[in-house]
Amino acid sequence: MSALFFITLSIFSSLVPLGFANNIVHASNPCRSYCGNITIDYPFALQYGCGHPGFRDLLFCMNDVLMFHISSGSYRVLEIDYAYQSVTLHEPHLSTCDTLVLGGKGNGFAVEQWRSPYFNPTADNVFMLIGCSAQSSLFQGFPGKHLPCRNVSGMGCEEYYGCQAWSLAGRGQMGSMFGSGPPECCAVAFEAIKAINLSKLGCEGYSSAYSLAPLKVDGPSEWSYGIRVKYSVQGNEQFCRACEATGGTCGYGSDGIRQLCMCGNMNSTSNCDSATSATTSRRRGHGLVTLTAIFFCILACI
């Protein structure tokens, strides 16, 4: 019996460390994805639960075309620049130097109130509102009150009037901010009016262009037409950096608000080190209980 006891004790001693083993597996990023030739990474994502909660239900991939959807409409994503934290959008009803799109068809640009802290057109993005009614809120108090119309980053209506699109559409520079009526075109920065909504502003159409400084272009025919949006995660970079530094992937919970660090088959509200530590402690406790039970069962059989 004594020999059997020591053999059992020896087996038990060799099994105990296995119950304490800490197997850490760093999984590849389950949230990184692609749409066409565009990489979708934090804070963006295509899957629910991935990315930053302020960016949820924002991007959709349809036939390898990445779409950006907000309250004012859907836009095609041309580029996501993660270094400069900007997204370049295309809108089919946007007027350019070649074509004026009228009839109030354009989306403009407006985001949901809860999402507005995360997105704004860049400061060097000009919106040129076309054919706005004299009753438009843009011109309240005209001519005594100063109009919001002005150049943005060297781009404005005075140059835009030189595009062939105006003559092709049979429109001219009728009306000016110094004449008897409102201008046919009014260039504004997004910050001046906070939302580009053609129906509310009483406008027939709009154009949008952005600067690619320090590049200098020669006139509106060479402007970059589209909407360039600056994005921000509002000071929450620290959470995601800590998560990624420990091998995790940034995401959010089922409530669509709370940030989570996804660590393989575990989630953490801080980082993967804390999740692994807690799981290891639980496993050690369960393993020790199991091995102790086995030990006493063997003793009872001796």
Side-chain angles (χ1 to χ4, degrees):
M1 177 176 177
S2 178
L4 286 173
F5 174 80
F6 284 110
I7 291 171
T8 303
L9 183 62
S10 176
I11 294 172
F12 176 76
S13 299
S14 66
L15 289 175
V16 168
L18 296 178
F20 293 165
N22 181 13
N23 297 318
I24 301 175
V25 178
H26 293 294
S28 59
N29 189 333
C31 290
R32 182 178 292 119
S33 54
Y34 302 87
C35 184
N37 62 349
I38 299 177
T39 301
I40 296 103
D41 212 338
Y42 184 86
F44 301 97
L46 293 177
Q47 308 97 308
Y48 189 86
C50 289
H52 188 279
F55 294 64
R56 70 180 187 271
D57 301 327
L58 180 72
L59 297 183
F60 300 88
C61 187
M62 297 182 292
N63 299 320
D64 286 335
V65 175
L66 188 62
M67 301 300 293
F68 180 100
H69 184 75
I70 52 176
S71 60
S72 56
S74 294
Y75 309 76
R76 180 172 181 172
V77 178
L78 302 181
E79 179 190 31
I80 300 177
D81 190 327
Y82 293 98
Y84 290 94
Q85 296 190 323
S86 66
V87 183
T88 304
L89 307 175
H90 169 73
E91 209 263 277
H93 298 118
L94 183 79
S95 295
T96 64
C97 201
D98 298 320
T99 308
L100 290 187
V101 182
L102 304 175
K105 298 177 182 178
N107 288 341
F109 191 88
V111 299
E112 300 88 336
Q113 187 174 357
W114 69 269
R115 208 192 286 277
S116 59
Y118 305 105
F119 298 99
N120 268 309
T122 57
D124 58 6
N125 195 115
V126 60
F127 287 93
M128 291 168 286
L129 299 164
I130 302 168
C132 301
S133 164
Q135 286 73 46
S136 170
S137 58
L138 286 170
F139 311 129
Q140 286 182 357
F142 178 84
K145 187 178 178 181
H146 178 67
L147 296 181
C149 311
R150 64 180 180 86
N151 283 7
V152 178
S153 292
M155 298 177 290
C157 291
E158 292 303 316
E159 286 184 285
Y160 190 51
Y161 283 135
C163 289
Q164 65 173 355
W166 289 89
S167 56
L168 291 175
R171 307 289 286 249
Q173 192 179 345
M174 295 183 63
S176 82
M177 63 177 63
F178 303 108
S180 58
E184 182 76 1
C185 170
C186 178
V188 296
F190 185 80
E191 281 301 311
I193 55 178
K194 302 297 184 183
I196 307 297
N197 185 314
L198 298 186
S199 60
K200 287 185 177 180
L201 292 171
C203 302
E204 293 183 61
Y206 81 112
S207 182
S208 174
Y210 54 91
S211 172
L212 290 176
L215 297 177
K216 292 185 178 180
V217 296
D218 185 20
S221 62
E222 296 184 14
W223 288 350
S224 296
Y225 291 91
I227 303 172
R228 201 173 195 200
V229 180
K230 184 75 173 174
Y231 68 84
S232 168
V233 294
Q234 294 297 301
N236 291 328
E237 298 95 338
Q238 187 175 358
F239 175 88
C240 191
R241 286 174 184 167
C243 173
E244 291 179 341
T246 55
T249 300
C250 305
Y252 54 90
S254 57
D255 59 1
I257 300 173
R258 184 170 50 99
Q259 286 188 281
L260 290 177
C261 183
M262 294 182 280
C263 313
N265 59 354
M266 302 174 290
N267 290 335
S268 170
T269 55
S270 55
N271 57 62
C272 291
D273 282 350
S274 63
T276 302
S277 177
T279 302
T280 300
S281 296
R282 288 195 299 270
R283 286 177 178 173
R284 286 177 177 176
H286 294 158
L288 186 57
V289 169
T290 302
L291 290 173
T292 301
I294 293 172
F295 175 72
F296 282 109
C297 284
I298 293 172
L299 285 181
C301 295
I302 294 176

